[in-house]
Amino acid sequence: MKRLEALVLFLFAAIGAAKAQSYQVPVSEVHEPMQTGQYQPTWQSLQQHQTPEWFRDAKFGIWAHWGPQCVEGTGDWMARSMYMEGGREYKWHVAHYGHPSEFGFKDVLPLFKAEKWNPEALVEKYKRCGAHYFFVLGNHHDNYDLWNSKYQPWNSQNIGPKRDVLAEWAKAAQKVGLPLGISFHADHAWTWYEPSQRFDIEGPKAGVYYDGNLTKEDGKGKWWEGLDPQMLYQQKHPMSKGSWDNGSIHNQWGWGNGACPPSPAFVTNFYDRTLDAINRYQPDLVYFDDTVLPFYPISDCGLKITAHFYNKNPRSVVFGKILDEEQRKALTWDVERGAPNEIVAEPWQTCNCIGGWHYNTSIYERGGYKSAATVVKQLVDIVSKNGNMLLSIPLRADGTYDDKEAAILDDLEAWMSVNGESIFATRPWVKFGEGPVAEKAIKLNNQGFNDGQYSNMDASDIRFNQTKKHLYVTAMGWPSDGKLVVKSLAKGNPHLKKSISSVTLLGYGKLKARQTAEGLVVQLPQPVNKIAPVLKIQK
């Protein structure tokens, strides 16, 4: 009887587990089987994978967040915004190319030529600027693949550059020894492109539908004859709840709050494309622009991609956003345009950009880029909290950066070449910092978006990090009187084994120092760099 009861309980538990693992839109492995091995597509199994030490040592990566949405120079999400009547991007597009019922984003794609793109020169420059890994865009929400894709004919080999962009980026990264990362964003095309189903409310084209509903049959005699626009736009479905409200997509990013559920074919197509790129280009890092993982929690797609990648590459890293504590054990947490104001136990990353994610001419014209000083100070702050920074340098559609970006990169290279030892292969100290910003309660806004809170740090804010032999102390600016007082290193502090009588200023040499009850007091020379002084202290 007891054995029967035990069997019944086991069966109920098994049924419960099966229900817990059932998904509304399960992915198919017919075309791209998930690689099997140590990891299964469950949170419990994926938690066995640890963020590798090479990534913790790397600290800084540069991202080529570059694709056809750079053509018009109107900024990120332009392939969505061009279908929003009356908006800046819509007006620019109509003025330069015509109405989106006649010239839609599909027609922008051939204008993405990459005619001046030199991937080897770019990646070599990024490495000189301190990048220890390099990221590229595999696809964005515009659903265009930047490689010779097996499962998406709207790709860079067929349309636009007529080049396998990922293959060339991967070759350039390999040549200089940088780990390669690929970001995939196309899983949101389903809802993101919904404005392409709309029509103008006012004006001479009122009631004329945009091109988001076109089919393969509509292409007869057109440049895109033989291609199915729905493979790009993915709009043969009802609009999500409140879709005409341009802001509703943000509340539906996690596939809730009325988002139209994706079809099994769309989910599987994204899965197939992602595995195709992973298998071909052998990245070490994969980034998803998602709440947790692609299509989570309605599909096992993201879990299967992650298990495949972990099984394929033991040194791999997968990033997810808005993760709970358990999910952070399985994935590496990514914070967009921001940082927590504390040391985080598990390694994490912030993704940020000096301007807009896609090239924006207006940011260039108004001088709106982050300076190299802002980038460096935010990097130092992030590293002090056990994080890495992935920085996007927007490229123009021709594959080049502009003169203002060139100056930022040069300043970044100058500071990193002297002070990089205080960044790379370091770990947090007993505290990350001191000063007004360090002591401020700074909260994250959804997936991040709090970097403005860190944009005005000065010499009164100090950050720490360390190696086994040295403590590095970075002031977020040069004090006007040259006197630097580090309160956390006051006489009698319990965190260093010996008293401090001298310190080394990187890029200069040794300085006299004295420990007082107030703190470690150092008189700095005239600034030896344009950004921030770094003290090196023997432990």
Side-chain angles (χ1 to χ4, degrees):
M1 189 68 180
K2 288 183 179 179
R3 291 179 63 186
L4 179 61
E5 288 176 355
L7 178 61
V8 170
L9 289 172
F10 172 80
L11 290 173
F12 272 113
I15 292 169
K19 286 181 178 179
Q21 293 300 311
S22 65
Y23 294 96
Q24 182 181 345
V25 191
V27 76
S28 168
E29 297 180 50
V30 171
H31 302 118
E32 294 287 340
M34 183 192 82
Q35 183 158 322
T36 56
Q38 177 182 353
Y39 302 100
Q40 301 299 316
T42 67
W43 290 111
Q44 184 177 14
S45 179
L46 296 177
Q47 285 175 10
Q48 300 173 76
H49 184 77
Q50 301 296 311
T51 303
E53 287 298 298
W54 77 259
F55 177 76
R56 297 191 71 189
D57 290 342
K59 301 303 181 191
F60 181 58
I62 287 183
W63 191 2
H65 192 285
W66 176 62
Q69 288 184 81
C70 299
V71 167
E72 298 190 2
T74 55
D76 198 39
W77 284 32
M78 62 75 49
R80 172 179 164 88
S81 301
M82 62 167 281
Y83 294 104
M84 295 178 179
E85 182 183 8
R88 178 178 62 88
E89 296 88 347
Y90 169 94
K91 290 177 179 178
W92 196 99
H93 179 83
V94 170
H96 290 82
Y97 294 116
H99 192 260
S101 63
E102 300 162 350
F103 197 104
F105 186 69
K106 71 182 186 311
D107 303 293
V108 173
L109 297 178
L111 306 178
F112 177 51
K113 301 288 190 184
E115 60 269 29
K116 297 180 182 179
W117 176 50
N118 185 336
E120 286 192 5
L122 288 167
V123 176
E124 286 171 359
K125 176 64 174 178
Y126 298 153
K127 185 173 183 178
R128 292 197 302 273
C129 292
H132 277 46
Y133 54 102
F134 173 64
F135 249 95
V136 301
L137 199 65
N139 48 44
H140 200 249
H141 312 315
D142 60 18
N143 211 26
Y144 170 91
D145 283 352
L146 285 146
W147 75 93
N148 187 18
S149 180
K150 289 167 61 176
Y151 302 103
Q152 173 56 297
W154 297 86
N155 68 63
S156 63
Q157 187 69 58
N158 292 341
I159 305 164
K162 303 295 179 72
R163 297 164 73 173
D164 188 325
V165 171
L166 273 192
E168 294 189 49
W169 277 132
K171 183 179 179 182
Q174 184 178 38
K175 183 178 178 180
V176 299
L178 289 183
L180 177 71
I182 306 176
S183 66
F184 300 96
H185 312 241
D187 50 309
H188 281 288
W190 184 266
T191 53
W192 191 81
Y193 262 133
E194 284 185 9
S196 70
Q197 292 192 48
R198 299 180 189 172
F199 48 83
D200 282 3
I201 301 297
E202 300 176 347
K205 294 284 188 179
V208 178
Y209 281 95
Y210 305 150
D211 70 331
N213 294 309
L214 293 178
T215 64
K216 187 175 182 179
E217 290 71 29
D218 295 314
K220 185 174 275 190
K222 307 287 178 58
W223 74 263
W224 47 275
E225 185 172 358
L227 290 168
D228 183 359
Q230 289 311 309
M231 284 295 293
L232 182 70
Y233 296 136
Q234 292 290 344
Q235 291 306 301
K236 287 301 179 185
H237 64 79
M239 284 185 167
S240 300
K241 181 181 178 181
S243 182
W244 280 76
D245 175 359
N246 295 333
S248 64
I249 189 171
H250 301 291
N251 294 323
Q252 298 168 348
W253 205 248
W255 297 99
N257 298 317
C260 178
S263 70
F266 177 68
V267 172
T268 295
N269 179 257
F270 177 83
Y271 167 87
D272 289 340
R273 289 154 67 187
T274 306
L275 261 63
D276 175 38
I278 289 172
N279 293 340
R280 281 203 221 183
Y281 306 110
Q282 305 293 316
D284 288 309
L285 311 102
V286 164
Y287 170 105
F288 293 119
D289 192 5
D290 290 287
T291 302
V292 187
L293 282 172
F295 304 108
Y296 188 80
I298 63 174
S299 176
D300 58 351
C301 175
L303 289 168
K304 283 191 170 182
I305 293 170
T306 303
H308 173 88
F309 191 34
Y310 285 174
N311 284 325
K312 187 175 182 63
N313 184 351
R315 57 181 264 126
S316 60
V317 182
V318 175
F319 299 99
K321 300 179 180 180
I322 315 183
L323 306 178
D324 64 28
E325 292 300 321
E326 291 301 303
Q327 291 160 348
R328 290 188 204 177
K329 296 175 183 177
L331 305 173
T332 301
W333 183 34
D334 181 85
V335 179
E336 183 172 350
R337 290 190 184 269
N341 210 23
E342 60 185 354
I343 296 175
V344 179
E346 296 294 329
W348 59 282
Q349 173 183 268
T350 184
C351 58
N352 213 322
C353 186
I354 64 168
W357 288 117
H358 280 102
Y359 192 82
N360 191 325
T361 305
S362 68
I363 293 177
Y364 168 79
E365 291 173 344
R366 69 174 186 266
Y369 291 137
K370 287 184 174 71
S371 66
T374 296
V375 170
V376 165
K377 292 174 188 180
Q378 291 186 355
L379 172 63
V380 171
D381 177 73
I382 288 159
V383 169
S384 74
K385 301 168 183 173
N386 204 29
N388 288 27
M389 175 188 275
L390 176 61
L391 181 70
S392 171
I393 309 293
L395 295 174
R396 295 175 289 205
D398 66 3
T400 63
Y401 48 75
D402 61 49
D403 60 309
K404 293 178 182 177
E405 291 175 308
I408 293 167
L409 287 170
D410 288 345
D411 287 346
L412 193 57
E413 180 180 354
W415 192 89
M416 286 289 208
S417 62
V418 174
N419 299 285
E421 69 170 86
S422 69
I423 299 293
F424 308 115
T426 62
R427 296 293 183 268
W429 192 47
V430 295
K431 60 190 298 186
F432 74 86
E434 65 181 50
V437 175
E439 295 157 12
K440 190 176 179 181
I442 300 176
K443 295 182 179 180
L444 295 173
N445 180 16
N446 293 319
Q447 63 262 48
F449 298 115
N450 66 358
D451 69 333
Q453 300 276 353
Y454 299 99
S455 61
N456 295 313
M457 292 183 287
D458 58 26
S460 62
D461 258 291
I462 293 170
R463 297 294 179 269
F464 307 100
N465 52 348
Q466 64 179 336
T467 61
K468 289 182 179 180
K469 293 183 177 180
H470 298 105
L471 174 67
Y472 292 96
V473 181
T474 305
M476 300 301 202
W478 293 84
S480 57
D481 60 359
K483 182 182 177 183
L484 184 65
V485 180
V486 186
K487 296 177 182 178
S488 301
L489 299 179
K491 190 174 184 179
N493 85 85
H495 306 305
L496 290 177
K497 296 177 182 178
K498 56 186 179 181
S499 60
I500 304 168
S501 59
S502 70
V503 301
T504 298
L505 174 65
L506 296 186
Y508 180 82
K510 287 191 175 182
L511 301 173
K512 289 183 179 180
R514 55 192 177 91
Q515 283 179 289
T516 69
E518 182 187 8
L520 177 69
V521 181
V522 180
Q523 187 66 39
L524 299 173
Q526 289 296 310
V528 296
N529 66 61
K530 296 193 287 187
I531 298 175
V534 182
L535 304 180
K536 180 179 180 180
I537 299 172
Q538 189 83 25
K539 290 167 65 177

